[in-house]
Amino acid sequence: MIKIPRSYPVALVIALLALSPIVVLLNLVGDDFQAFDARNLQVLTNTLLLMTFTALGSIAIGVPLAILTTYVRLPWGRFWLIVLAAPLALPSYLGAFTFYAAFGMGGEISNLLGIPTPAVNGLAGSTLIMTLYTYPFVLLTTRASLSSLDASQIYAARTLGLSLMMSLWRVVLPRILNGIAAGALLAAMYALSDFGTPAIMGLDTFTRVIFVEYNAFGLSQAAMLSLQLLVVIMLILFLESRFKGTTERPGRHLYFWPSAQQKFFMLLAASPVFLLAIVLPLSIFFLWLWRDGLGNFQLAYAWNSAYASLIAAFVAVLLALPVAYAAIKGKVGRIMERVTYMGFGIPGIVMGTALVYLGLKLPFMYQTLGLLVLAYVLRFLPLAVGSIRTTTESLDNSLLDAARVLGASRNEAFRRVTLPLTMRGLIAGAALVFLEAMRELPATLLLGPTGFETLATYLWRVYEAGYFGLAAIPGLLLFVLSGFGLALMFSGERSADLDNKNEPSKR
């Protein structure tokens, strides 16, 4: 008789729950489903153009910066990596909001310095914002591929007379194409699913039009557009799964030792990216804080964000445990884990549309905190699952076996051995879910209870009302929270680096 792991039934229920938004959307569309009409084709064109330009822009910026941070020996090298990767931790709608307010006639730069600046909006403005906040995807995936390459072939090419640039082009580039493609596809998926930036920039993409249809009580049309967007996103997810970063046997590492003058010009060339993505938005928020003060901001908004996000983090970790343990038990468990990952690919605006309809069918859930928390959990459950599974896979099973030999029951061995050893993954997963939920905008706009204002939604209301100065406090608080997320990400990378360095000594 085949013994089914105890985590499988619970993981199956959670996987089915993760699929429920798609089922709800199909049911909502019903017989009204139709092919693209002229308006939808224009929306599709805008969305695909934004996706394509964002991917290309992220490659143009991310690949040179990956080479710079991997191969060039810079002073405070890790500091520059963190600085250049920092935009990844920020929600792009913060940048879109400040760029919209800073540039153009009557913008903050024109008012402050008297310098006329062009407006940042439409497809060009959306592409600029998206590129600035997604290029770190390409930076990090390309850097991972570069770090794993054996430089012996490059040295051989140089010995045979190839110039440095030709060696990089003919030897390095073909071996990191998968890493570049993986990062570019992640950037493309972010551009497809983002709501705040196209909405602020005035570009009709799927996410913006879905929100407009919802506000116009066109729930069926919003569902149809959501399903069409999901088709495109699933295609991107499939392509992304086919591209894995290059891995090779460890060998010689390549280093460049430029002169002090060359280092200065390299960092100078990289500085506009950081200045535009981080310094400019921060400067605008501090300007508003200095000029307008606290305004009518209430600490209750921050408390609402934290309260809902804490509940979501706790529930996500509880649900992630059986899914993560099922994933390491066999192929069926891994399939159920992959199903739960679909939630992360569903944009917040799509998740919100599906759960609004669910709330209408179940009135006891409509406009409740529970429905909002459910959206957060379904969206960000993969973050907790991935963190817990990674930690669990690294456990030494001999400790669990020893506990069973000494008489501990299966439950006791889990409680006293497995759970404490996976606590780091539990905490990291909960922290990631908490931070993402704090910044989630579209799902909160659609599902938040009446009068339930969070940092993200308050920022959106300020934008809609045109009182930009009141956005200083929520904007800065979201910056701080994003900084914690960045620190968590790089602390994990640092721990992994230390583990890898200590591995030979263990042998």
Side-chain angles (χ1 to χ4, degrees):
M1 180 181 293
I2 299 176
K3 186 177 181 181
I4 300 176
R6 300 172 65 183
S7 57
Y8 273 19
V10 181
L12 177 60
V13 172
I14 297 170
L16 293 175
L17 181 64
L19 285 174
S20 61
I22 298 177
V23 176
V24 170
L25 288 173
L26 288 171
N27 184 59
L28 178 57
V29 171
D31 297 333
D32 294 332
F33 185 81
Q34 57 182 338
F36 288 104
D37 56 21
R39 177 170 178 264
N40 288 354
L41 283 174
Q42 182 60 52
V43 173
L44 175 64
T45 301
N46 291 342
T47 303
L48 294 180
L49 285 175
L50 177 60
M51 177 193 74
T52 303
F53 291 155
T54 298
L56 294 175
S58 65
I59 291 173
I61 297 176
V63 173
L65 292 182
I67 295 174
L68 176 68
T69 56
T70 306
Y71 288 159
V72 179
R73 301 300 287 176
L74 298 170
W76 311 309
R78 190 167 187 82
F79 168 78
W80 294 115
L81 173 62
I82 293 174
V83 163
L84 293 173
L88 180 63
L90 296 172
S92 61
Y93 60 78
L94 286 182
F97 188 16
T98 52
F99 270 69
Y100 179 82
F103 291 91
M105 290 291 293
E108 297 293 352
I109 293 177
S110 177
N111 293 337
L112 190 64
L113 303 178
I115 302 174
T117 56
V120 177
N121 53 32
L123 178 61
S126 298
T127 300
L128 173 63
I129 301 299
M130 286 295 186
T131 300
L132 286 174
Y133 291 96
T134 60
Y135 80 82
F137 285 122
V138 178
L139 165 63
L140 295 177
T141 57
T142 305
R143 185 173 177 271
S145 296
L146 289 170
S147 299
S148 69
L149 296 185
D150 183 355
S152 299
Q153 295 184 35
I154 304 173
Y155 292 126
R158 295 282 287 142
T159 302
L160 294 173
L162 283 181
S163 65
L164 177 59
M165 293 303 298
M166 285 302 298
S167 298
L168 292 175
W169 180 261
R170 298 180 61 178
V171 178
V172 173
L173 184 61
R175 296 154 72 192
I176 63 172
L177 283 178
N178 281 355
I180 295 173
L185 287 170
L186 288 173
M189 190 171 70
Y190 187 97
L192 280 172
S193 61
D194 186 63
F195 161 73
T197 298
I200 293 173
M201 294 287 105
L203 179 67
D204 280 338
T205 61
F206 273 117
T207 52
R208 183 172 188 252
V209 175
I210 289 169
F211 185 71
V212 171
E213 290 291 343
Y214 167 79
N215 283 334
F217 303 102
L219 202 54
S220 178
Q221 179 73 4
M224 185 191 68
L225 292 168
S226 298
L227 287 172
Q228 292 170 348
L229 175 58
L230 278 179
V231 170
V232 181
I233 287 179
M234 293 307 170
L235 175 62
I236 298 298
L237 284 173
F238 171 76
L239 292 175
E240 192 273 334
S241 69
R242 309 299 295 176
F243 289 97
K244 302 297 180 183
T246 305
T247 56
E248 299 183 3
R249 294 177 63 86
R252 300 179 65 185
H253 197 75
L254 179 65
Y255 288 116
F256 299 145
W257 300 86
S259 65
Q261 186 178 24
Q262 289 172 328
K263 291 177 183 177
F264 172 77
F265 281 111
M266 287 178 183
L267 293 175
L268 185 64
S271 62
V273 174
F274 176 73
L275 292 175
L276 288 173
I278 303 296
V279 176
L280 176 63
L282 274 177
S283 301
I284 295 297
F285 282 128
F286 276 117
L287 172 64
W288 289 340
L289 181 63
W290 171 74
R291 188 180 63 197
D292 300 301
L294 299 180
N296 63 348
F297 179 79
Q298 302 174 25
L299 287 178
Y301 304 151
W303 166 247
N304 289 341
S305 294
Y307 179 63
S309 301
L310 278 173
I311 297 175
F314 179 74
V315 175
V317 167
L318 286 182
L319 297 183
L321 278 168
V323 176
Y325 288 127
I328 63 177
K329 292 297 183 181
K331 185 176 181 180
V332 175
R334 288 193 293 273
I335 292 173
M336 289 187 286
E337 180 202 24
R338 295 303 298 176
V339 170
T340 65
Y341 273 64
M342 292 183 65
F344 201 57
I346 297 177
I349 192 72
V350 175
M351 183 72 73
T353 301
L355 294 187
V356 162
Y357 181 69
L358 181 64
L360 291 173
K361 291 297 183 181
L362 303 172
F364 68 91
M365 293 186 65
Y366 185 65
Q367 286 195 330
T368 63
L369 183 62
L371 194 61
L372 178 61
V373 168
L374 177 61
Y376 289 161
V377 171
L378 292 179
R379 282 270 288 134
F380 306 123
L381 178 63
L383 298 175
V385 172
S387 180
I388 294 171
R389 180 177 55 79
T390 301
T391 306
T392 305
E393 285 178 334
S394 65
L395 295 182
D396 187 353
N397 290 328
S398 63
L399 296 175
L400 189 61
D401 295 337
R404 296 301 305 278
V405 169
L406 292 173
S409 66
R410 187 184 300 272
N411 290 335
E412 186 180 9
F414 172 80
R415 187 177 68 256
R416 300 182 63 180
V417 178
T418 305
L419 192 59
L421 291 176
T422 57
M423 190 56 66
R424 184 177 70 175
L426 291 172
I427 295 173
L432 288 172
V433 173
F434 174 82
L435 290 167
E436 288 297 325
M438 287 280 285
R439 306 185 312 180
E440 174 63 25
L441 174 60
T444 313
L445 283 173
L446 268 60
L447 298 170
T450 302
F452 187 84
E453 204 78 88
T454 67
L455 293 175
T457 59
Y458 178 74
L459 196 70
W460 178 256
R461 308 297 182 201
V462 166
Y463 157 73
E464 288 188 315
Y467 301 126
F468 294 167
L470 301 180
I473 297 299
L476 290 172
L477 284 175
L478 286 171
F479 256 94
V480 171
L481 289 169
S482 300
F484 281 123
L486 185 69
L488 182 66
M489 180 179 71
F490 278 101
S491 65
E493 182 184 276
R494 184 175 180 82
S495 297
D497 290 344
L498 291 174
D499 290 343
N500 292 335
K501 290 178 181 178
N502 292 333
E503 188 66 27
S505 63
K506 294 179 183 178
R507 297 192 183 97

